[in-house]
Amino acid sequence: MSAIAREVVLGVGAGIAAYKSCDLLRRLQDRGYAVTVVPTPSSLNFVGAATWQALSGRPVATHVWENSHEVSHISLAQRAHFFLIAPATADLIARMSAGRADDLLTNLILAANVPIMIVPAMHPQMWNDAATVANVATLRSRGYVVMEPEIGRLTGSDSGQGRFPQVSSIIERFDQLTGNLRDLQGKRILISGGGTRESIDPVRFIGNRSSGKQATALATAAVLRGAEVTLVAANMDTSSLDTLAVHHVESAAQMHLALAKEFESCDVLIMCAAVADAKPSQSTIEKIKKAIFTTIELEPNPDILAELSRKKSQQIMIGFAAETSNLITSAQAKLKSKGLDVIYVNDVSDGAIFGKDTTSGTIITRNGEEIALKEVSKDALAHLLLDHALRQLG
Ligand code: C5P
């Protein structure tokens, strides 16, 4: 079992609201949950296995007979920390309440010993039927969390209590149940992001291709998990980050200054920014004329991370590296030379990674752990790095 409890089985029953669970799955992933979807066989009439596989990035099974050599109902039930059944139909609720095990999902539910939340959605008459009322009462008496469906218009012209609740309400209730997303409460996390620009003259600069998307993912994930986050942002879009403290900087020198000011009071520094290795020895006030703009004399920028790590006391320090060759060996050398706890190295040959929503690379820790990632979302990487920070903070 991983240190952070967030392996979720999303059980999908055969209701039209199954399509809304596609969005629910996405929002769960945004919040750092790792989700395996287990649809009932009839629910595939509404949303097919291919959709669930593509959205979850994981295999999808509906019967115990698939991959039976793995005894998947037992292994999945053992791996999951929580179950979320959404939508739950009257039939699925009846089968759960009777303890039946006639598909993979109901087998899993019987085999699991973890909190289970149920989100019913059905016609009001089915919801209010004495059998459903009794089944819901049975499930609640066994400790299942059963949400109340919303009141309003149904798929047809009828209205009443039976609508699938808003995805945001489901997430809010589920977060309360899991309680795992406030695991960074009280921790101060300092993040740098974007790419620095070194001025040549009022018009030109030396920059790089960093978009700031990974830093945005890190800041968002850390805020969601309850951390107090400060972002030092170099030339990146911070419009989605209006709830946290942001220092806007342009150059490496400005970034150095801002980070040095904040470093002492942070618990974790995540140095995600692409810092220019060198800057023009002179930046002119006047635009340099084309005819004489032939060479730029450079001088090195300070290595901010290496410098801050010399001042560190208890802080956990995480660095990034972008390489085009010898990825692992150069990242291991940087981990040591910069005094880091964790480094994430990505392969940026052919312009990969920059500006994209996904990343491929390797997490390397000072204990020698290596975790290779292929085409994972930058949100998922953010949560994995925060997991490492949390583990090392103890
Ligand atoms: O040495 P390299 O640039 O590959 O190292 C990458 C890591 O070091 C990143 O975390 C980056 O933010 C940080 N760095 C720094 N100061 C520099 C150059 C890189 O803090 N001048």
Side-chain angles (χ1 to χ4, degrees), residues 271-277 301-305 319-321 323 334 338:
M271 192 70 195
C272 184
V275 183
D277 294 315
N301 268 328
D303 191 315
I304 306 172
L305 201 44
F320 274 71
E323 302 288 350
K334 273 178 199 171
K338 299 189 190 224

Side-chain angles (χ1 to χ4, degrees), residues 34-54:
V35 187
T36 304
V37 182
V38 183
T40 63
S42 351
S43 79
L44 299 179
N45 290 306
F46 291 110
V47 179
T51 302
W52 293 123
Q53 262 161 23

Side-chain angles (χ1 to χ4, degrees), residues 1 7-9 75-83 112 114:
M1 199 184 262
E7 271 295 333
V8 174
V9 166
S75 54
L76 241 177
Q78 282 171 342
R79 206 169 62 227
H81 300 107
F82 304 98
F83 277 55
V114 293

Side-chain angles (χ1 to χ4, degrees), residues 137-186:
T138 303
L139 292 177
R140 284 185 173 145
S141 72
R142 289 189 195 137
Y144 291 59
V145 173
V146 184
M147 269 187 97
E148 287 291 313
E150 278 183 6
I151 299 167
R153 170 114 190 261
L154 289 128
T155 313
S157 54
D158 294 351
S159 60
Q161 187 177 18
R163 280 172 60 86
F164 191 68
Q166 295 292 316
V167 166
S168 56
S169 326
I170 299 172
I171 294 277
E172 200 180 311
R173 187 68 196 86
F174 191 62
D175 276 354
Q176 281 169 6
L177 177 76
T178 65
N180 74 332
L181 287 170
R182 309 304 288 173
D183 55 0
L184 291 171
Q185 190 108 42

